[in-house]
Amino acid sequence: LTAGLAARARIIEGLYANVGYTYTAYTEGREDERIDPKNSLEASISYRLHQQINIFVRGNNILSSEYEIYPGYTAQGANIMAGAAINF
C-alpha cells in the first residue's frame, strides 16, 4: 500500500518548488520478511535556465526517517542532491 501527496508551485517565471510526502506499508511476502512502514518527505527547487536546461536542488527523506528499503537494507538518512538536466 502506498499513499502520497505532492504539490508544485511556480514562484516566478522558470522557478518551481515541489514538495511531496509518501507513506508505504508493505503487506506482501512472508511474515519474517516484512518490513515496517515508511514515511518520507521530499522537497526540491528547480530553475529553467534555457528551454533545454534546468538546474535543481532536491532534499530526500528530509525527516531523516529510519526505514528499510528491503529486508536488511536501510535507507539513507536526510540527503541533498543538486544537478542539471539537459533535454535534447
Side-chain angles (χ1 to χ4, degrees), residues 67-75:
Y67 60 88
E68 291 182 323
I69 300 170
Y70 300 104
Y73 294 90
T74 305

Side-chain angles (χ1 to χ4, degrees), residues 3-84:
L5 295 171
R8 178 179 177 152
R10 187 180 83 176
I11 299 170
I12 59 172
E13 186 65 37
L15 181 64
Y16 294 89
N18 301 287
V19 65
Y21 169 80
T22 305
Y23 171 83
T24 304
Y26 302 94
T27 58
E28 296 180 10
R30 296 189 332 230
E31 188 70 32
D32 61 335
E33 292 181 344
R34 290 190 186 163
I35 54 180
D36 293 335
K38 74 172 188 173
N39 293 290
S40 185
L41 181 66
E42 300 87 26
S44 66
I45 295 176
S46 63
Y47 183 69
R48 177 177 275 183
L49 291 174
H50 184 271
Q51 185 176 5
Q52 295 175 308
I53 302 172
N54 291 316
I55 58 173
F56 63 90
V57 175
R58 180 179 181 149
N60 296 307
N61 194 12
I62 294 171
L63 302 175
S64 200
S65 300
E66 293 184 14
Y67 60 88
E68 291 182 323
I69 300 170
Y70 300 104
Y73 294 90
T74 305
Q76 292 180 338
N79 60 84
I80 297 173
M81 174 176 51

